[in-house]
Amino acid sequence: MEMKRFTASMDRSTRILTVIICLIIMASMLSLFLTLGDSPEQRVIAGFAAILILGSLVAAYAFHPRSYRIEGGKLIIQKGIGRKEIQLNGISAVREVNKNDLGKGVRTFGVGGLFGYFGKFYFSKVGTVTAYVTHPGKTILITTQAHQYYLISPGDTLGFMNSIHEELPALHPFTETTIVP
């Protein structure tokens, strides 16, 4: 089969949140350096804080999802640095979901808004989920046979689900699936 690529574009609210967070970080950095005293200890602490803050910003940018590909029997989630591969033959369910389908959620280790929503999250109706989402309004839940859950947000959700169905005809992507955490 040919490779199929799907975008991972940020929705408007995620872009606005990202800009706001970046502006807050820049204002904090400016404030930090403008209020520095003459002591070498203060400069070292301020420098260390700046490195941590900027490092977090760079890491969030580097690890946010860039695209999704279906290629060679795998779903490949391409990030700025690295990628996540999920074997298609290990997928047991694929369906579009919204906040109500997931239930109340909490981020357990990840990013919640800066360049997207990615990392580990816990949702009351699903359990632990690994998210690679840039557009919360176009979210797809992938369940594996090993009971692992992934959230992604391809720009063309219908095209993505049709592509999965072409690869796995026995798996109908439009069917409601009971989720067993």
mmCIF file with all atom_site columns, all heavy atoms in Angstrom, residues 36-48:
data_model
loop_
_atom_site.group_PDB
_atom_site.id
_atom_site.type_symbol
_atom_site.label_atom_id
_atom_site.label_alt_id
_atom_site.label_comp_id
_atom_site.label_asym_id
_atom_site.label_entity_id
_atom_site.label_seq_id
_atom_site.pdbx_PDB_ins_code
_atom_site.Cartn_x
_atom_site.Cartn_y
_atom_site.Cartn_z
_atom_site.occupancy
_atom_site.B_iso_or_equiv
_atom_site.pdbx_formal_charge
_atom_site.auth_seq_id
_atom_site.auth_comp_id
_atom_site.auth_asym_id
_atom_site.auth_atom_id
_atom_site.pdbx_PDB_model_num
ATOM 1  N N   . LEU A 1 36 ? 17.604 41.786 38.163 1.00 0.00 ? 36 LEU A N   1
ATOM 2  C CA  . LEU A 1 36 ? 18.822 41.184 38.702 1.00 0.00 ? 36 LEU A CA  1
ATOM 3  C C   . LEU A 1 36 ? 19.649 42.198 39.478 1.00 0.00 ? 36 LEU A C   1
ATOM 4  O O   . LEU A 1 36 ? 19.796 43.343 39.055 1.00 0.00 ? 36 LEU A O   1
ATOM 5  C CB  . LEU A 1 36 ? 19.689 40.654 37.559 1.00 0.00 ? 36 LEU A CB  1
ATOM 6  C CG  . LEU A 1 36 ? 19.483 39.219 37.135 1.00 0.00 ? 36 LEU A CG  1
ATOM 7  C CD1 . LEU A 1 36 ? 20.420 38.879 35.995 1.00 0.00 ? 36 LEU A CD1 1
ATOM 8  C CD2 . LEU A 1 36 ? 19.655 38.264 38.268 1.00 0.00 ? 36 LEU A CD2 1
ATOM 9  N N   . GLY A 1 37 ? 20.181 41.742 40.543 1.00 0.00 ? 37 GLY A N   1
ATOM 10 C CA  . GLY A 1 37 ? 21.113 42.578 41.288 1.00 0.00 ? 37 GLY A CA  1
ATOM 11 C C   . GLY A 1 37 ? 22.521 42.376 40.748 1.00 0.00 ? 37 GLY A C   1
ATOM 12 O O   . GLY A 1 37 ? 22.738 41.727 39.726 1.00 0.00 ? 37 GLY A O   1
ATOM 13 N N   . ASP A 1 38 ? 23.488 42.914 41.460 1.00 0.00 ? 38 ASP A N   1
ATOM 14 C CA  . ASP A 1 38 ? 24.883 42.812 41.020 1.00 0.00 ? 38 ASP A CA  1
ATOM 15 C C   . ASP A 1 38 ? 25.579 41.558 41.524 1.00 0.00 ? 38 ASP A C   1
ATOM 16 O O   . ASP A 1 38 ? 26.703 41.277 41.124 1.00 0.00 ? 38 ASP A O   1
ATOM 17 C CB  . ASP A 1 38 ? 25.669 44.044 41.507 1.00 0.00 ? 38 ASP A CB  1
ATOM 18 C CG  . ASP A 1 38 ? 25.241 45.294 40.759 1.00 0.00 ? 38 ASP A CG  1
ATOM 19 O OD1 . ASP A 1 38 ? 24.785 45.166 39.613 1.00 0.00 ? 38 ASP A OD1 1
ATOM 20 O OD2 . ASP A 1 38 ? 25.372 46.390 41.342 1.00 0.00 ? 38 ASP A OD2 1
ATOM 21 N N   . SER A 1 39 ? 24.931 40.828 42.385 1.00 0.00 ? 39 SER A N   1
ATOM 22 C CA  . SER A 1 39 ? 25.602 39.682 42.988 1.00 0.00 ? 39 SER A CA  1
ATOM 23 C C   . SER A 1 39 ? 25.767 38.534 41.983 1.00 0.00 ? 39 SER A C   1
ATOM 24 O O   . SER A 1 39 ? 24.854 38.224 41.212 1.00 0.00 ? 39 SER A O   1
ATOM 25 C CB  . SER A 1 39 ? 24.816 39.235 44.218 1.00 0.00 ? 39 SER A CB  1
ATOM 26 O OG  . SER A 1 39 ? 24.263 37.973 44.067 1.00 0.00 ? 39 SER A OG  1
ATOM 27 N N   . PRO A 1 40 ? 26.932 37.899 41.977 1.00 0.00 ? 40 PRO A N   1
ATOM 28 C CA  . PRO A 1 40 ? 27.174 36.766 41.076 1.00 0.00 ? 40 PRO A CA  1
ATOM 29 C C   . PRO A 1 40 ? 26.220 35.598 41.339 1.00 0.00 ? 40 PRO A C   1
ATOM 30 O O   . PRO A 1 40 ? 25.831 34.888 40.422 1.00 0.00 ? 40 PRO A O   1
ATOM 31 C CB  . PRO A 1 40 ? 28.617 36.357 41.371 1.00 0.00 ? 40 PRO A CB  1
ATOM 32 C CG  . PRO A 1 40 ? 29.230 37.502 42.094 1.00 0.00 ? 40 PRO A CG  1
ATOM 33 C CD  . PRO A 1 40 ? 28.122 38.263 42.724 1.00 0.00 ? 40 PRO A CD  1
ATOM 34 N N   . GLU A 1 41 ? 25.834 35.418 42.604 1.00 0.00 ? 41 GLU A N   1
ATOM 35 C CA  . GLU A 1 41 ? 24.911 34.331 42.937 1.00 0.00 ? 41 GLU A CA  1
ATOM 36 C C   . GLU A 1 41 ? 23.562 34.541 42.263 1.00 0.00 ? 41 GLU A C   1
ATOM 37 O O   . GLU A 1 41 ? 22.961 33.599 41.752 1.00 0.00 ? 41 GLU A O   1
ATOM 38 C CB  . GLU A 1 41 ? 24.722 34.224 44.464 1.00 0.00 ? 41 GLU A CB  1
ATOM 39 C CG  . GLU A 1 41 ? 25.949 33.790 45.224 1.00 0.00 ? 41 GLU A CG  1
ATOM 40 C CD  . GLU A 1 41 ? 26.870 34.966 45.564 1.00 0.00 ? 41 GLU A CD  1
ATOM 41 O OE1 . GLU A 1 41 ? 26.458 36.142 45.424 1.00 0.00 ? 41 GLU A OE1 1
ATOM 42 O OE2 . GLU A 1 41 ? 28.015 34.694 45.965 1.00 0.00 ? 41 GLU A OE2 1
ATOM 43 N N   . GLN A 1 42 ? 23.081 35.776 42.262 1.00 0.00 ? 42 GLN A N   1
ATOM 44 C CA  . GLN A 1 42 ? 21.796 36.081 41.611 1.00 0.00 ? 42 GLN A CA  1
ATOM 45 C C   . GLN A 1 42 ? 21.878 35.834 40.112 1.00 0.00 ? 42 GLN A C   1
ATOM 46 O O   . GLN A 1 42 ? 20.928 35.338 39.503 1.00 0.00 ? 42 GLN A O   1
ATOM 47 C CB  . GLN A 1 42 ? 21.384 37.530 41.878 1.00 0.00 ? 42 GLN A CB  1
ATOM 48 C CG  . GLN A 1 42 ? 20.908 37.771 43.291 1.00 0.00 ? 42 GLN A CG  1
ATOM 49 C CD  . GLN A 1 42 ? 20.541 39.223 43.527 1.00 0.00 ? 42 GLN A CD  1
ATOM 50 O OE1 . GLN A 1 42 ? 21.031 40.119 42.848 1.00 0.00 ? 42 GLN A OE1 1
ATOM 51 N NE2 . GLN A 1 42 ? 19.681 39.455 44.513 1.00 0.00 ? 42 GLN A NE2 1
ATOM 52 N N   . ARG A 1 43 ? 22.991 36.180 39.509 1.00 0.00 ? 43 ARG A N   1
ATOM 53 C CA  . ARG A 1 43 ? 23.163 35.959 38.074 1.00 0.00 ? 43 ARG A CA  1
ATOM 54 C C   . ARG A 1 43 ? 23.185 34.471 37.742 1.00 0.00 ? 43 ARG A C   1
ATOM 55 O O   . ARG A 1 43 ? 22.623 34.052 36.735 1.00 0.00 ? 43 ARG A O   1
ATOM 56 C CB  . ARG A 1 43 ? 24.427 36.638 37.576 1.00 0.00 ? 43 ARG A CB  1
ATOM 57 C CG  . ARG A 1 43 ? 24.306 38.136 37.567 1.00 0.00 ? 43 ARG A CG  1
ATOM 58 C CD  . ARG A 1 43 ? 25.483 38.776 36.905 1.00 0.00 ? 43 ARG A CD  1
ATOM 59 N NE  . ARG A 1 43 ? 25.346 40.216 37.007 1.00 0.00 ? 43 ARG A NE  1
ATOM 60 C CZ  . ARG A 1 43 ? 26.349 41.043 37.116 1.00 0.00 ? 43 ARG A CZ  1
ATOM 61 N NH1 . ARG A 1 43 ? 27.578 40.586 37.106 1.00 0.00 ? 43 ARG A NH1 1
ATOM 62 N NH2 . ARG A 1 43 ? 26.136 42.333 37.214 1.00 0.00 ? 43 ARG A NH2 1
ATOM 63 N N   . VAL A 1 44 ? 23.833 33.687 38.579 1.00 0.00 ? 44 VAL A N   1
ATOM 64 C CA  . VAL A 1 44 ? 23.882 32.234 38.358 1.00 0.00 ? 44 VAL A CA  1
ATOM 65 C C   . VAL A 1 44 ? 22.480 31.637 38.481 1.00 0.00 ? 44 VAL A C   1
ATOM 66 O O   . VAL A 1 44 ? 22.054 30.840 37.643 1.00 0.00 ? 44 VAL A O   1
ATOM 67 C CB  . VAL A 1 44 ? 24.865 31.552 39.344 1.00 0.00 ? 44 VAL A CB  1
ATOM 68 C CG1 . VAL A 1 44 ? 24.711 30.039 39.326 1.00 0.00 ? 44 VAL A CG1 1
ATOM 69 C CG2 . VAL A 1 44 ? 26.296 31.950 39.030 1.00 0.00 ? 44 VAL A CG2 1
ATOM 70 N N   . ILE A 1 45 ? 21.751 32.035 39.507 1.00 0.00 ? 45 ILE A N   1
ATOM 71 C CA  . ILE A 1 45 ? 20.393 31.527 39.707 1.00 0.00 ? 45 ILE A CA  1
ATOM 72 C C   . ILE A 1 45 ? 19.494 31.958 38.547 1.00 0.00 ? 45 ILE A C   1
ATOM 73 O O   . ILE A 1 45 ? 18.724 31.160 38.013 1.00 0.00 ? 45 ILE A O   1
ATOM 74 C CB  . ILE A 1 45 ? 19.827 31.993 41.071 1.00 0.00 ? 45 ILE A CB  1
ATOM 75 C CG1 . ILE A 1 45 ? 20.577 31.293 42.203 1.00 0.00 ? 45 ILE A CG1 1
ATOM 76 C CG2 . ILE A 1 45 ? 18.330 31.709 41.166 1.00 0.00 ? 45 ILE A CG2 1
ATOM 77 C CD1 . ILE A 1 45 ? 20.283 31.843 43.579 1.00 0.00 ? 45 ILE A CD1 1
ATOM 78 N N   . ALA A 1 46 ? 19.610 33.215 38.135 1.00 0.00 ? 46 ALA A N   1
ATOM 79 C CA  . ALA A 1 46 ? 18.798 33.712 37.013 1.00 0.00 ? 46 ALA A CA  1
ATOM 80 C C   . ALA A 1 46 ? 19.157 32.983 35.724 1.00 0.00 ? 46 ALA A C   1
ATOM 81 O O   . ALA A 1 46 ? 18.277 32.624 34.940 1.00 0.00 ? 46 ALA A O   1
ATOM 82 C CB  . ALA A 1 46 ? 18.994 35.214 36.843 1.00 0.00 ? 46 ALA A CB  1
ATOM 83 N N   . GLY A 1 47 ? 20.429 32.756 35.504 1.00 0.00 ? 47 GLY A N   1
ATOM 84 C CA  . GLY A 1 47 ? 20.864 32.016 34.311 1.00 0.00 ? 47 GLY A CA  1
ATOM 85 C C   . GLY A 1 47 ? 20.342 30.593 34.309 1.00 0.00 ? 47 GLY A C   1
ATOM 86 O O   . GLY A 1 47 ? 19.875 30.080 33.283 1.00 0.00 ? 47 GLY A O   1
ATOM 87 N N   . PHE A 1 48 ? 20.406 29.937 35.464 1.00 0.00 ? 48 PHE A N   1
ATOM 88 C CA  . PHE A 1 48 ? 19.892 28.574 35.586 1.00 0.00 ? 48 PHE A CA  1
ATOM 89 C C   . PHE A 1 48 ? 18.384 28.542 35.340 1.00 0.00 ? 48 PHE A C   1
ATOM 90 O O   . PHE A 1 48 ? 17.877 27.679 34.625 1.00 0.00 ? 48 PHE A O   1
ATOM 91 C CB  . PHE A 1 48 ? 20.231 28.016 36.970 1.00 0.00 ? 48 PHE A CB  1
ATOM 92 C CG  . PHE A 1 48 ? 19.830 26.580 37.156 1.00 0.00 ? 48 PHE A CG  1
ATOM 93 C CD1 . PHE A 1 48 ? 20.475 25.570 36.463 1.00 0.00 ? 48 PHE A CD1 1
ATOM 94 C CD2 . PHE A 1 48 ? 18.797 26.251 38.024 1.00 0.00 ? 48 PHE A CD2 1
ATOM 95 C CE1 . PHE A 1 48 ? 20.105 24.247 36.633 1.00 0.00 ? 48 PHE A CE1 1
ATOM 96 C CE2 . PHE A 1 48 ? 18.415 24.928 38.194 1.00 0.00 ? 48 PHE A CE2 1
ATOM 97 C CZ  . PHE A 1 48 ? 19.075 23.925 37.498 1.00 0.00 ? 48 PHE A CZ  1
#
